[in-house]
Coordinates of all heavy atoms in Angstrom, one line a residue:
V1 N 1.6 3.0 4.6 CA 2.2 2.5 5.9 C 1.8 1.1 6.1 O 0.6 0.8 6.1 CB 1.8 3.4 7.1 CG1 2.4 2.8 8.3 CG2 2.3 4.8 6.8
I2 N 2.7 0.2 6.3 CA 2.4 -1.2 6.5 C 3.0 -1.6 7.8 O 4.1 -1.4 8.1 CB 3.1 -2.1 5.4 CG1 2.6 -1.6 4.0 CG2 2.9 -3.5 5.6 CD1 3.6 -1.8 2.9
A3 N 2.1 -2.1 8.7 CA 2.4 -2.6 10.0 C 2.3 -4.1 10.1 O 1.3 -4.6 9.7 CB 1.5 -1.9 11.1
L4 N 3.3 -4.7 10.5 CA 3.4 -6.2 10.6 C 3.2 -6.6 12.1 O 3.7 -5.9 13.0 CB 4.6 -6.8 10.1 CG 4.9 -6.5 8.7 CD1 6.3 -7.0 8.4 CD2 3.9 -7.1 7.8
D5 N 2.6 -7.8 12.3 CA 2.4 -8.3 13.6 C 3.5 -9.4 13.9 O 3.2 -10.3 14.7 CB 1.0 -8.8 13.8 CG 0.7 -10.0 12.9 OD1 1.5 -10.3 12.0 OD2 -0.4 -10.6 13.1
R6 N 4.7 -9.2 13.3 CA 5.8 -10.1 13.6 C 7.1 -9.4 13.5 O 7.2 -8.4 12.7 CB 5.8 -11.3 12.6 CG 5.9 -11.0 11.2 CD 5.9 -12.2 10.2 NE 4.7 -12.9 10.5 CZ 4.6 -14.3 10.4 NH1 5.7 -14.9 10.1 NH2 3.5 -14.9 10.6
A7 N 8.0 -9.8 14.2 CA 9.3 -9.1 14.1 C 10.1 -9.7 12.9 O 10.0 -10.8 12.6 CB 10.1 -9.4 15.4
C8 N 10.8 -8.8 12.2 CA 11.6 -9.2 11.1 C 12.7 -8.2 10.9 O 12.7 -7.1 11.5 CB 10.8 -9.5 9.9 SG 10.0 -8.0 9.1
A9 N 13.7 -8.6 10.1 CA 14.9 -7.8 9.9 C 14.6 -6.5 9.1 O 13.6 -6.5 8.3 CB 15.9 -8.6 9.2
S10 N 15.4 -5.5 9.3 CA 15.2 -4.2 8.7 C 15.2 -4.3 7.1 O 14.5 -3.6 6.5 CB 16.2 -3.1 9.2 OG 17.5 -3.5 9.0
L11 N 16.2 -5.1 6.7 CA 16.2 -5.2 5.2 C 14.9 -5.8 4.6 O 14.4 -5.4 3.6 CB 17.4 -6.1 4.8 CG 17.6 -6.4 3.3 CD1 17.8 -5.1 2.6 CD2 18.8 -7.3 3.1
Q12 N 14.4 -6.8 5.4 CA 13.1 -7.4 4.9 C 12.0 -6.3 5.0 O 11.1 -6.3 4.1 CB 12.8 -8.6 5.7 CG 13.7 -9.8 5.3 CD 13.3 -11.1 6.0 OE1 12.9 -11.1 7.2 NE2 13.5 -12.2 5.3
L13 N 12.0 -5.5 6.0 CA 11.0 -4.4 6.1 C 11.1 -3.5 5.0 O 10.0 -3.0 4.4 CB 11.1 -3.6 7.5 CG 10.7 -4.4 8.7 CD1 11.0 -3.6 9.9 CD2 9.2 -4.6 8.6
S14 N 12.3 -3.2 4.5 CA 12.5 -2.4 3.3 C 11.8 -3.0 2.1 O 11.2 -2.3 1.3 CB 14.0 -2.0 3.1 OG 14.5 -1.3 4.1
R15 N 12.1 -4.2 1.9 CA 11.5 -5.0 0.8 C 10.0 -5.0 0.9 O 9.3 -4.9 -0.1 CB 12.1 -6.4 0.7 CG 13.6 -6.4 0.4 CD 14.1 -7.8 0.3 NE 13.5 -8.5 -0.9 CZ 13.4 -9.8 -1.0 NH1 13.9 -10.6 0.0 NH2 12.9 -10.3 -2.0
I16 N 9.5 -5.2 2.1 CA 8.0 -5.2 2.3 C 7.4 -3.9 2.0 O 6.4 -3.7 1.3 CB 7.7 -5.6 3.7 CG1 8.1 -7.2 3.9 CG2 6.2 -5.4 4.1 CD1 8.1 -7.6 5.3
A17 N 8.1 -2.8 2.4 CA 7.6 -1.4 2.1 C 7.5 -1.2 0.6 O 6.6 -0.6 0.1 CB 8.5 -0.4 2.8
A18 N 8.5 -1.7 -0.1 CA 8.5 -1.5 -1.6 C 7.3 -2.2 -2.2 O 6.7 -1.7 -3.2 CB 9.8 -2.1 -2.2
R19 N 6.8 -3.3 -1.6 CA 5.6 -4.0 -2.2 C 4.4 -3.1 -2.0 O 3.5 -3.2 -2.9 CB 5.4 -5.3 -1.5 CG 6.4 -6.5 -1.8 CD 7.1 -6.3 -3.1 NE 8.0 -7.4 -3.5 CZ 9.3 -7.5 -3.3 NH1 9.9 -6.5 -2.7 NH2 10.0 -8.5 -3.8
G20 N 4.3 -2.3 -1.0 CA 3.2 -1.4 -0.9 C 3.2 -0.4 -2.0 O 2.1 -0.1 -2.6
V21 N 4.3 0.1 -2.5 CA 4.4 1.0 -3.6 C 4.1 0.3 -4.9 O 3.3 0.8 -5.7 CB 5.8 1.6 -3.7 CG1 5.9 2.6 -4.9 CG2 6.1 2.5 -2.4
F22 N 4.5 -1.0 -5.0 CA 4.2 -1.8 -6.2 C 2.7 -1.9 -6.4 O 2.2 -1.9 -7.5 CB 4.9 -3.1 -6.2 CG 6.3 -3.2 -6.2 CD1 7.1 -4.3 -5.8 CD2 7.1 -2.1 -6.5 CE1 8.4 -4.4 -5.8 CE2 8.5 -2.1 -6.5 CZ 9.2 -3.2 -6.2
A23 N 2.0 -2.1 -5.2 CA 0.6 -2.2 -5.3 C -0.1 -1.0 -5.9 O -1.2 -1.2 -6.5 CB 0.0 -2.5 -3.9
L24 N 0.5 0.2 -5.7 CA -0.2 1.3 -6.3 C -0.2 1.2 -7.8 O -1.1 1.7 -8.5 CB 0.6 2.6 -5.9 CG 0.6 2.9 -4.4 CD1 1.5 4.1 -4.2 CD2 -0.8 3.2 -3.9
G25 N 0.8 0.6 -8.4 CA 0.8 0.3 -9.9 C -0.2 -0.6 -10.3 O -0.8 -0.5 -11.4
R26 N -0.7 -1.5 -9.4 CA -1.8 -2.4 -9.8 C -3.1 -1.7 -9.9 O -4.0 -2.2 -10.6 CB -1.9 -3.5 -8.7 CG -0.7 -4.5 -8.7 CD -0.7 -5.4 -7.6 NE -1.8 -6.4 -7.6 CZ -1.8 -7.5 -6.8 NH1 -0.9 -7.8 -6.0 NH2 -2.9 -8.3 -6.9
V27 N -3.2 -0.5 -9.3 CA -4.5 0.3 -9.4 C -4.3 1.5 -10.4 O -5.2 2.3 -10.3 CB -5.0 0.6 -8.0 CG1 -5.5 -0.5 -7.3 CG2 -4.0 1.4 -7.2
G28 N -3.2 1.5 -11.1 CA -3.1 2.5 -12.1 C -2.2 3.7 -11.9 O -2.0 4.5 -12.7
A29 N -1.5 3.7 -10.8 CA -0.5 4.7 -10.5 C 0.6 4.7 -11.5 O 1.1 3.6 -11.9 CB 0.0 4.7 -9.1
S30 N 1.1 5.8 -12.0 CA 2.3 5.8 -12.8 C 3.4 6.6 -12.0 O 3.1 7.5 -11.3 CB 2.0 6.5 -14.1 OG 1.7 7.8 -14.0
Y31 N 4.6 6.1 -12.2 CA 5.7 6.7 -11.5 C 6.6 7.5 -12.4 O 6.8 7.2 -13.5 CB 6.6 5.6 -10.8 CG 5.7 4.7 -10.0 CD1 5.4 3.4 -10.5 CD2 5.2 5.0 -8.8 CE1 4.6 2.5 -9.8 CE2 4.4 4.2 -8.0 CZ 4.1 3.0 -8.5 OH 3.3 2.1 -7.8
G32 N 7.1 8.6 -11.8 CA 8.0 9.4 -12.6 C 8.9 10.2 -11.6 O 8.7 10.1 -10.4
H33 N 9.9 10.9 -12.1 CA 10.7 11.7 -11.3 C 9.9 12.7 -10.4 O 9.1 13.4 -10.9 CB 11.7 12.5 -12.1 CG 12.6 13.4 -11.3 ND1 13.6 13.0 -10.5 CD2 12.6 14.8 -11.2 CE1 14.2 14.0 -9.9 NE2 13.6 15.1 -10.3
G34 N 10.1 12.6 -9.1 CA 9.4 13.5 -8.2 C 8.0 13.1 -7.9 O 7.2 13.9 -7.4
S35 N 7.6 11.8 -8.1 CA 6.2 11.4 -7.9 C 5.9 11.4 -6.4 O 4.8 11.6 -6.0 CB 6.0 10.0 -8.5 OG 6.7 9.0 -7.7
G36 N 6.9 11.2 -5.6 CA 6.6 11.2 -4.1 C 6.1 10.0 -3.6 O 5.7 9.9 -2.4
D37 N 5.9 8.9 -4.3 CA 5.4 7.6 -3.8 C 6.4 6.9 -3.1 O 7.5 6.6 -3.6 CB 4.8 6.8 -5.0 CG 3.7 7.5 -5.7 OD1 2.9 8.1 -5.0 OD2 3.6 7.3 -6.9
Y38 N 6.1 6.5 -1.8 CA 7.1 5.7 -1.1 C 6.3 4.9 -0.1 O 5.1 5.2 0.2 CB 8.2 6.5 -0.4 CG 7.6 7.6 0.6 CD1 7.5 7.2 1.9 CD2 7.1 8.8 0.2 CE1 7.0 8.1 2.9 CE2 6.6 9.7 1.2 CZ 6.6 9.3 2.5 OH 6.1 10.2 3.4
G39 N 6.9 3.9 0.4 CA 6.3 3.0 1.4 C 7.1 3.0 2.7 O 8.3 3.3 2.8
L40 N 6.4 2.7 3.8 CA 7.0 2.6 5.1 C 6.5 1.4 5.7 O 5.2 1.2 5.8 CB 6.7 3.9 5.9 CG 7.1 3.8 7.4 CD1 8.6 3.9 7.5 CD2 6.4 4.9 8.2
A41 N 7.3 0.5 6.2 CA 6.9 -0.8 6.9 C 7.5 -0.8 8.3 O 8.7 -0.3 8.5 CB 7.4 -1.9 6.1
L42 N 6.8 -1.2 9.2 CA 7.2 -1.4 10.6 C 6.7 -2.6 11.3 O 5.7 -3.2 10.8 CB 6.8 -0.2 11.4 CG 5.2 0.1 11.6 CD1 4.7 -0.5 12.9 CD2 4.9 1.5 11.4
S43 N 7.4 -3.0 12.2 CA 7.0 -4.2 13.0 C 6.4 -3.7 14.3 O 7.0 -2.9 15.0 CB 8.2 -5.1 13.3 OG 7.8 -6.2 14.2
A44 N 5.2 -4.2 14.6 CA 4.5 -3.9 15.9 C 4.9 -4.7 17.0 O 4.3 -4.7 18.0 CB 3.0 -3.8 15.6
V45 N 5.8 -5.6 16.8 CA 6.3 -6.6 17.8 C 7.7 -6.2 18.2 O 8.6 -6.0 17.5 CB 6.4 -8.0 17.2 CG1 6.9 -9.0 18.2 CG2 5.0 -8.4 16.7
H46 N 7.8 -6.0 19.6 CA 9.1 -5.7 20.1 C 10.0 -6.9 20.2 O 9.5 -7.9 20.8 CB 9.0 -5.0 21.5 CG 10.4 -4.8 22.1 ND1 11.2 -3.8 21.7 CD2 11.0 -5.4 23.1 CE1 12.4 -3.8 22.4 NE2 12.2 -4.8 23.3
S47 N 11.2 -6.8 19.7 CA 12.1 -7.9 19.7 C 13.5 -7.4 19.7 O 13.9 -6.6 18.9 CB 11.9 -8.9 18.6 OG 12.8 -9.9 18.6
D48 N 14.3 -7.9 20.7 CA 15.7 -7.5 20.7 C 16.5 -8.2 19.5 O 17.6 -7.8 19.1 CB 16.4 -7.8 22.0 CG 15.8 -6.9 23.1 OD1 15.5 -5.8 22.8 OD2 15.7 -7.4 24.3
T49 N 15.9 -9.3 19.1 CA 16.6 -10.0 18.0 C 15.6 -10.4 16.9 O 14.9 -11.5 16.9 CB 17.2 -11.4 18.5 OG1 16.2 -12.1 19.2 CG2 18.3 -11.1 19.5
P50 N 15.4 -9.5 16.0 CA 14.4 -9.7 14.9 C 14.9 -10.9 14.1 O 16.1 -11.1 13.9 CB 14.4 -8.5 14.1 CG 15.4 -7.5 14.7 CD 16.0 -8.2 15.9
R51 N 14.0 -11.7 13.7 CA 14.4 -12.9 13.0 C 14.1 -12.7 11.5 O 13.5 -11.8 11.0 CB 13.5 -14.1 13.4 CG 12.1 -14.1 13.1 CD 11.4 -15.4 13.7 NE 10.1 -15.7 13.1 CZ 10.0 -16.3 12.0 NH1 11.0 -16.6 11.2 NH2 8.8 -16.6 11.5
I52 N 14.9 -13.5 10.7 CA 14.8 -13.4 9.3 C 13.6 -14.3 8.8 O 13.5 -15.5 9.3 CB 16.0 -13.9 8.6 CG1 17.3 -13.2 9.1 CG2 15.9 -13.9 7.1 CD1 17.3 -11.7 8.7
L53 N 12.7 -13.7 8.1 CA 11.5 -14.5 7.6 C 12.1 -15.4 6.5 O 12.8 -15.0 5.7 CB 10.4 -13.6 7.1 CG 9.8 -12.6 8.0 CD1 8.8 -11.8 7.3 CD2 9.2 -13.4 9.2
G54 N 11.6 -16.7 6.5 CA 11.9 -17.6 5.4 C 11.3 -17.2 4.1 O 10.4 -16.4 4.1
P55 N 11.8 -17.8 3.0 CA 11.2 -17.4 1.7 C 9.7 -17.6 1.6 O 9.0 -16.8 1.0 CB 12.0 -18.3 0.7 CG 13.2 -18.7 1.4 CD 12.9 -18.7 2.8
G56 N 9.2 -18.7 2.1 CA 7.7 -19.0 2.1 C 7.0 -17.9 2.9 O 5.9 -17.4 2.4
E57 N 7.5 -17.6 4.1 CA 6.8 -16.6 4.9 C 6.8 -15.2 4.2 O 5.8 -14.5 4.2 CB 7.5 -16.5 6.2 CG 7.3 -17.6 7.2 CD 8.2 -17.5 8.4 OE1 9.4 -17.5 8.3 OE2 7.6 -17.3 9.5
L58 N 8.0 -14.9 3.7 CA 8.1 -13.6 3.0 C 7.2 -13.5 1.8 O 6.6 -12.4 1.6 CB 9.6 -13.4 2.6 CG 10.1 -12.0 2.4 CD1 9.7 -11.1 3.6 CD2 11.5 -11.9 2.1
D59 N 7.1 -14.6 1.0 CA 6.2 -14.5 -0.1 C 4.7 -14.3 0.3 O 4.0 -13.5 -0.3 CB 6.2 -15.9 -0.9 CG 7.4 -16.0 -1.8 OD1 8.0 -14.9 -2.1 OD2 7.7 -17.1 -2.2
L60 N 4.3 -14.9 1.5 CA 3.0 -14.7 2.0 C 2.8 -13.2 2.4 O 1.7 -12.6 2.2 CB 2.7 -15.6 3.2 CG 2.5 -17.1 2.9 CD1 2.4 -17.9 4.2 CD2 1.3 -17.3 2.0
V61 N 3.8 -12.7 3.1 CA 3.8 -11.3 3.5 C 3.6 -10.4 2.3 O 2.8 -9.4 2.2 CB 4.9 -10.9 4.4 CG1 5.0 -9.4 4.6 CG2 4.9 -11.6 5.7
F62 N 4.5 -10.6 1.2 CA 4.5 -9.8 0.1 C 3.1 -9.8 -0.6 O 2.5 -8.8 -1.0 CB 5.5 -10.4 -1.0 CG 6.9 -10.0 -0.7 CD1 7.9 -10.7 -1.4 CD2 7.3 -9.1 0.3 CE1 9.2 -10.4 -1.1 CE2 8.5 -8.9 0.6 CZ 9.6 -9.5 -0.1
T63 N 2.5 -11.0 -0.7 CA 1.1 -11.2 -1.3 C 0.1 -10.4 -0.5 O -0.8 -9.7 -1.0 CB 0.7 -12.6 -1.4 OG1 1.7 -13.3 -2.2 CG2 -0.7 -12.8 -1.9
A64 N 0.2 -10.6 0.8 CA -0.8 -9.8 1.8 C -0.7 -8.3 1.6 O -1.7 -7.6 1.6 CB -0.6 -10.3 3.2
V65 N 0.5 -7.8 1.5 CA 0.8 -6.4 1.4 C 0.2 -5.9 0.1 O -0.5 -4.9 0.0 CB 2.3 -6.0 1.5 CG1 2.6 -4.6 1.0 CG2 2.8 -6.3 2.9
L66 N 0.5 -6.6 -1.1 CA 0.0 -6.2 -2.4 C -1.5 -6.1 -2.3 O -2.1 -5.2 -2.8 CB 0.5 -7.1 -3.4 CG 1.9 -7.0 -3.9 CD1 2.4 -8.2 -4.6 CD2 2.2 -5.7 -4.7
E67 N -2.1 -7.2 -1.8 CA -3.6 -7.2 -1.8 C -4.2 -6.2 -0.9 O -5.2 -5.6 -1.2 CB -4.1 -8.6 -1.5 CG -3.8 -9.6 -2.5 CD -4.1 -11.1 -2.2 OE1 -4.7 -11.3 -1.0 OE2 -3.9 -12.0 -3.0
S68 N -3.7 -6.0 0.3 CA -4.3 -5.1 1.3 C -4.1 -3.6 0.8 O -5.0 -2.8 1.0 CB -3.7 -5.3 2.7 OG -2.3 -5.0 2.7
V69 N -3.0 -3.3 0.2 CA -2.8 -1.9 -0.3 C -3.7 -1.6 -1.5 O -4.3 -0.6 -1.6 CB -1.3 -1.6 -0.6 CG1 -1.2 -0.3 -1.3 CG2 -0.5 -1.6 0.6
E70 N -3.8 -2.6 -2.4 CA -4.7 -2.4 -3.5 C -6.1 -2.2 -3.0 O -6.9 -1.4 -3.5 CB -4.6 -3.6 -4.4 CG -5.5 -3.6 -5.6 CD -5.4 -4.8 -6.5 OE1 -4.8 -5.8 -6.1 OE2 -5.9 -4.8 -7.6
E71 N -6.5 -3.0 -2.0 CA -7.9 -2.9 -1.5 C -8.1 -1.6 -0.8 O -9.2 -1.0 -0.9 CB -8.1 -4.1 -0.5 CG -9.6 -4.1 0.1 CD -10.6 -4.5 -0.9 OE1 -10.3 -5.1 -1.9 OE2 -11.8 -4.2 -0.6
A72 N -7.1 -1.1 -0.1 CA -7.3 0.2 0.6 C -7.4 1.3 -0.4 O -8.3 2.2 -0.2 CB -6.0 0.5 1.5
V73 N -6.7 1.3 -1.5 CA -6.8 2.3 -2.5 C -8.2 2.3 -3.2 O -8.9 3.3 -3.3 CB -5.7 2.2 -3.6 CG1 -6.0 3.1 -4.8 CG2 -4.4 2.5 -3.0
L74 N -8.7 1.1 -3.5 CA -10.0 1.0 -4.1 C -11.1 1.4 -3.1 O -12.1 2.1 -3.5 CB -10.2 -0.5 -4.5 CG -9.4 -0.9 -5.7 CD1 -9.6 -2.4 -6.0 CD2 -9.6 -0.1 -6.9
D75 N -11.0 1.1 -1.9 CA -11.9 1.5 -0.8 C -12.0 3.0 -0.7 O -13.0 3.6 -0.6 CB -11.6 0.9 0.5 CG -11.9 -0.6 0.6 OD1 -12.6 -1.1 -0.3 OD2 -11.5 -1.2 1.6
A76 N -10.8 3.7 -0.8 CA -10.7 5.1 -0.7 C -11.4 5.7 -1.9 O -12.1 6.8 -1.8 CB -9.3 5.6 -0.6
L77 N -11.1 5.1 -3.1 CA -11.8 5.7 -4.3 C -13.3 5.6 -4.3 O -14.1 6.5 -4.7 CB -11.3 5.0 -5.6 CG -9.8 5.3 -5.9 CD1 -9.4 4.3 -7.0 CD2 -9.6 6.7 -6.4
I78 N -13.8 4.4 -3.8 CA -15.3 4.3 -3.7 C -15.9 5.2 -2.6 O -17.0 5.7 -2.9 CB -15.5 2.8 -3.3 CG1 -15.2 1.9 -4.5 CG2 -17.0 2.6 -2.9 CD1 -15.2 0.4 -4.3
A79 N -15.2 5.5 -1.5 CA -15.7 6.3 -0.5 C -15.6 7.8 -0.8 O -16.2 8.6 -0.2 CB -14.9 6.0 0.8
A80 N -14.8 8.2 -1.8 CA -14.6 9.6 -2.1 C -15.9 10.2 -2.6 O -16.7 9.6 -3.2 CB -13.5 9.8 -3.1
E81 N -16.0 11.5 -2.2 CA -17.2 12.3 -2.7 C -16.7 13.4 -3.5 O -15.5 13.9 -3.4 CB -18.0 12.8 -1.4 CG -18.5 11.7 -0.6 CD -19.2 12.3 0.7 OE1 -19.2 13.5 0.9 OE2 -19.6 11.5 1.5
T82 N -17.6 14.0 -4.4 CA -17.2 15.1 -5.2 C -17.0 16.3 -4.2 O -17.8 16.6 -3.3 CB -18.4 15.4 -6.2 OG1 -18.5 14.3 -7.1 CG2 -18.1 16.7 -7.0
V83 N -15.9 17.0 -4.5 CA -15.6 18.2 -3.7 C -15.2 19.4 -4.6 O -14.8 19.2 -5.8 CB -14.5 17.9 -2.7 CG1 -14.9 17.0 -1.7 CG2 -13.2 17.5 -3.4
R84 N -15.4 20.6 -4.1 CA -15.0 21.8 -4.8 C -14.0 22.5 -3.9 O -14.2 22.7 -2.8 CB -16.2 22.7 -5.0 CG -15.9 23.8 -5.9 CD -17.2 24.6 -6.3 NE -17.0 25.6 -7.2 CZ -17.1 25.5 -8.6 NH1 -17.6 24.4 -9.0 NH2 -16.8 26.5 -9.3
T85 N -12.9 22.8 -4.6 CA -11.8 23.5 -3.8 C -12.0 25.0 -3.7 O -12.9 25.5 -4.4 CB -10.4 23.3 -4.6 OG1 -10.5 24.2 -5.8 CG2 -10.1 21.9 -4.9
P86 N -11.3 25.6 -2.8 CA -11.6 27.1 -2.6 C -11.3 27.9 -3.9 O -11.8 29.0 -4.0 CB -10.6 27.5 -1.5 CG -10.3 26.2 -0.7 CD -10.5 25.1 -1.7
H87 N -10.5 27.3 -4.8 CA -10.1 28.1 -6.0 C -11.1 27.7 -7.1 O -10.8 28.0 -8.3 CB -8.7 27.8 -6.4 CG -7.7 28.2 -5.4 ND1 -7.4 29.5 -5.1 CD2 -6.9 27.5 -4.5 CE1 -6.5 29.6 -4.1 NE2 -6.3 28.4 -3.7
G88 N -12.2 27.0 -6.8 CA -13.2 26.7 -7.8 C -13.0 25.4 -8.6 O -13.8 25.1 -9.5
R89 N -11.9 24.6 -8.4 CA -11.8 23.4 -9.0 C -12.7 22.3 -8.5 O -12.8 22.3 -7.3 CB -10.3 22.9 -8.9 CG -10.0 21.6 -9.6 CD -8.5 21.3 -9.6 NE -8.3 19.9 -10.0 CZ -8.3 18.9 -9.3 NH1 -8.4 19.0 -8.0 NH2 -8.1 17.7 -9.8
T90 N -13.3 21.5 -9.3 CA -14.1 20.4 -8.8 C -13.4 19.1 -9.1 O -13.0 18.8 -10.2 CB -15.5 20.4 -9.6 OG1 -16.1 21.7 -9.4 CG2 -16.4 19.3 -9.1
A91 N -13.4 18.3 -8.0 CA -12.9 16.9 -8.2 C -14.0 16.0 -8.0 O -14.6 16.0 -6.9 CB -11.8 16.7 -7.1
F92 N -14.4 15.3 -9.0 CA -15.5 14.5 -9.1 C -15.3 13.1 -8.4 O -14.3 12.6 -8.6 CB -16.1 14.3 -10.5 CG -16.6 15.6 -11.1 CD1 -15.8 16.3 -11.9 CD2 -17.8 16.1 -10.8 CE1 -16.1 17.6 -12.5 CE2 -18.2 17.3 -11.4 CZ -17.4 18.0 -12.2
A93 N -16.4 12.7 -7.8 CA -16.3 11.3 -7.2 C -16.2 10.3 -8.3 O -16.8 10.5 -9.4 CB -17.5 11.1 -6.3
L94 N -15.7 9.2 -8.1 CA -15.6 8.1 -9.0 C -16.9 7.3 -9.0 O -17.3 6.8 -8.0 CB -14.4 7.1 -8.7 CG -14.2 6.0 -9.6 CD1 -13.7 6.5 -10.9 CD2 -13.1 5.1 -9.0
P95 N -17.5 7.2 -10.2 CA -18.8 6.4 -10.1 C -18.5 4.9 -9.9 O -17.5 4.3 -10.4 CB -19.3 6.5 -11.6 CG -18.5 7.6 -12.3 CD -17.2 7.8 -11.5
H96 N -19.2 4.4 -9.0 CA -18.9 3.0 -8.5 C -18.9 2.0 -9.7 O -18.2 1.0 -9.6 CB -19.9 2.6 -7.4 CG -19.7 3.4 -6.2 ND1 -20.5 3.2 -5.1 CD2 -18.9 4.5 -5.9 CE1 -20.1 4.1 -4.1 NE2 -19.2 4.9 -4.6
E97 N -19.8 2.2 -10.6 CA -19.9 1.2 -11.7 C -18.7 1.1 -12.6 O -18.6 0.2 -13.3 CB -21.2 1.5 -12.5 CG -21.2 2.8 -13.2 CD -21.8 4.0 -12.4 OE1 -22.0 3.7 -11.2 OE2 -21.9 5.0 -12.9
V98 N -17.7 2.0 -12.5 CA -16.6 2.0 -13.4 C -15.5 1.0 -12.8 O -14.6 0.7 -13.5 CB -15.9 3.3 -13.6 CG1 -16.9 4.3 -14.3 CG2 -15.3 3.9 -12.4
L99 N -15.7 0.7 -11.5 CA -14.7 -0.3 -10.9 C -15.1 -1.7 -11.2 O -16.2 -2.1 -10.9 CB -14.7 0.0 -9.4 CG -14.0 1.2 -8.9 CD1 -14.1 1.3 -7.5 CD2 -12.5 1.2 -9.4
T100 N -14.2 -2.4 -11.9 CA -14.4 -3.8 -12.0 C -13.2 -4.6 -11.5 O -12.1 -4.3 -11.9 CB -14.6 -4.2 -13.5 OG1 -13.4 -3.7 -14.2 CG2 -15.8 -3.5 -14.1
V101 N -13.5 -5.4 -10.5 CA -12.4 -6.1 -9.8 C -12.6 -7.6 -10.0 O -13.6 -8.1 -9.9 CB -12.3 -5.7 -8.3 CG1 -11.2 -6.4 -7.7 CG2 -12.0 -4.2 -8.2

């Protein structure tokens, strides 16, 4: 979920949401039929007339989305702890030293 602090057109929000999904690929996600990976972008600014972001502004937003989603995934991986499911499966925490950024 990507929230922007500026009003923009719905088509641009769709493009921005896609960048969030692209960022998952930067951290190793692979996509296939039924993967369920999708993005949602919204504007937190109320405007009766959303404006179209210029190419330069949109490039900055795209870059910010890619970097922030990538950072969020890495932060979640680092914060994860080893857990055991009720069915006996163990999901091991990722050792911090394997992450090189």
Side-chain angles (χ1 to χ4, degrees):
V1 176
I2 300 153
L4 300 174
D5 62 353
R6 61 180 56 216
C8 64
S10 60
L11 180 59
Q12 289 184 327
L13 285 171
S14 294
R15 294 181 65 204
I16 291 165
R19 289 339 186 256
V21 178
F22 296 164
L24 297 176
R26 289 171 68 166
V27 291
S30 62
Y31 307 102
H33 176 71
S35 69
D37 297 323
Y38 63 94
L40 174 69
L42 60 100
S43 174
V45 176
H46 174 71
S47 174
D48 293 329
T49 56
R51 69 184 200 77
I52 304 294
L53 301 178
E57 291 175 292
L58 202 51
D59 282 343
L60 289 173
V61 171
F62 287 166
T63 299
V65 168
L66 285 166
E67 290 177 1
S68 62
V69 171
E70 182 179 12
E71 183 71 22
V73 170
L74 294 175
D75 288 348
L77 289 170
I78 290 170
E81 298 176 358
T82 298
V83 295
R84 189 171 183 97
T85 69
H87 299 292
R89 181 176 169 265
T90 301
F92 294 97
L94 181 66
H96 296 181
E97 61 273 4
V98 302
L99 287 177
T100 57
V101 178

